[in-house]
Amino acid sequence: MQRLLSGIKPSGDLNIGGYGGALRQYVKLQHEYESYFFVPDLHAVTVYQDPMELHQRTRDIAALYIASGIDPDKATIFLQSQVPAHVELGWLLETQAHFGELKRMTQFKEKSEGQETVSSALFTYPVLMAADVLLYQATHVPVGDDQKQHLELTRDVAERFNNRYGRTFTVPEPIIQDIGSRIMGLDDPSKKMSKSNPNKNSCVHMMDTPEDIRKKFSKAVTDSDGEVRHDWEQKPAVSNLIEIYSVFSEEAISVIEKRYEGQGYGTFKKELAEVVIEKLQPIQERFHQIVNSSELDRILMDGAKRASETAGPTLLAAKKAMGLVTF
């Protein structure tokens, strides 16, 4: 079976964009690949995180993996910081990455813009991201539009290392989904749904109450013609809502368009809210059962052990290939 690795950074409250772009995929892909789903807590600290908040959010993401339907008996679920091989291989791969490559990373430009000081980790973390993937000899990585550049760097670093030291790493392929990979803000369809948006109605969080979800969708921007039609060029706001409906209902866009033909946006937005609520409620219930439980502790400890057993031989092979003394 081919192997897959992916993770969600615990740097804020997860919104439905994280469900559409990641969690929903993970639940499906665990049946098709040998899957490793981790919480990249080391990536979160490239910018300051309140320690207590980081601790809880890390548990929250892991709990959401399970609550959404990832089976810890089928997939390996673990925390990045619990597998030291990530950091060690990250350092080895920094010797292969080029300054110019890292300087061109779009996310670094965006996150550092206007900042008086920027940590060196924010600059080099794409190499740690490459180590995350290459440690497990992953054949495939699910990526959204904003991560394509980082996966290209991973592929370049792997090929550079293999050409210089002999074949050591699998060069991974991307998995790119068409619908739901990039859910946009409810107030502005040109910007990705984000917790940093000051407009609280722009973003639906995974833990929002039914009342809040209904309120946010009722205020979602649309357009003036009243036609529920999927057309990103002419109708981006409505297209975004249709894709959210498709993600949460598991229905084809054509089915949704036909259902609301001639009905206008009022009914469509009300029923969209109910579709999202229906999907989120059992996830929320399971989340609250497990998030601070010993069951989650056990799953994460077992996951770290399994991940280390897979990562260890890759790290050893890389060190040997580079000429480092190993025993």
Side-chain angles (χ1 to χ4, degrees), residues 111-129:
K111 292 182 179 180
S112 62
E113 186 176 2
Q115 302 295 319
E116 289 186 15
T117 58
V118 177
S119 75
S120 59
L122 185 62
F123 185 72
T124 60
Y125 92 92
V127 185
L128 180 58
M129 188 179 293

Side-chain angles (χ1 to χ4, degrees), residues 73-225:
D73 292 328
K74 182 177 289 290
T76 300
I77 302 171
F78 66 100
L79 308 182
Q80 182 188 33
S81 61
Q82 297 300 307
V83 183
H86 285 255
V87 176
E88 192 168 355
L89 183 62
W91 174 253
L92 297 182
L93 295 183
E94 283 198 32
T95 68
Q96 308 302 307
H98 299 159
F99 180 83
E101 290 175 319
L102 299 179
K103 194 175 180 181
R104 288 192 293 272
M105 292 291 110
T106 302
Q107 285 199 23
F108 172 74
K109 293 178 181 178
E110 292 175 350
K111 292 182 179 180
S112 62
E113 186 176 2
Q115 302 295 319
E116 289 186 15
T117 58
V118 177
S119 75
S120 59
L122 185 62
F123 185 72
T124 60
Y125 92 92
V127 185
L128 180 58
M129 188 179 293
D132 298 335
V133 174
L134 300 179
L135 260 181
Y136 299 93
Q137 304 291 355
T139 58
H140 291 81
V141 180
V143 292
D145 290 340
D146 55 345
Q147 293 297 330
K148 289 179 183 177
Q149 190 181 36
H150 287 158
L151 186 61
E152 282 303 313
L153 176 70
T154 299
R155 290 171 53 84
D156 290 343
V157 168
E159 290 173 345
R160 192 173 298 147
F161 191 103
N162 289 348
N163 289 336
R164 184 172 291 173
Y165 296 112
R167 191 182 185 285
T168 306
F169 300 116
T170 300
V171 180
E173 297 291 335
I175 298 175
I176 302 171
Q177 64 173 347
D178 293 329
I179 302 299
S181 63
R182 193 171 174 83
I183 290 177
M184 314 306 281
L186 300 184
D187 62 335
D188 184 352
S190 69
K191 296 179 181 178
K192 186 177 178 182
M193 186 175 283
S194 170
K195 63 183 182 300
S196 62
N197 190 322
N199 180 359
K200 301 304 180 184
N201 291 318
S202 72
C203 177
V204 176
H205 292 104
M206 292 290 290
M207 292 297 119
D208 275 351
T209 65
E211 181 182 354
D212 285 338
I213 293 171
R214 293 183 185 108
K215 177 183 175 183
K216 289 177 179 181
F217 278 117
S218 71
K219 294 185 176 182
V221 299
T222 49
D223 53 39
S224 59
D225 74 7

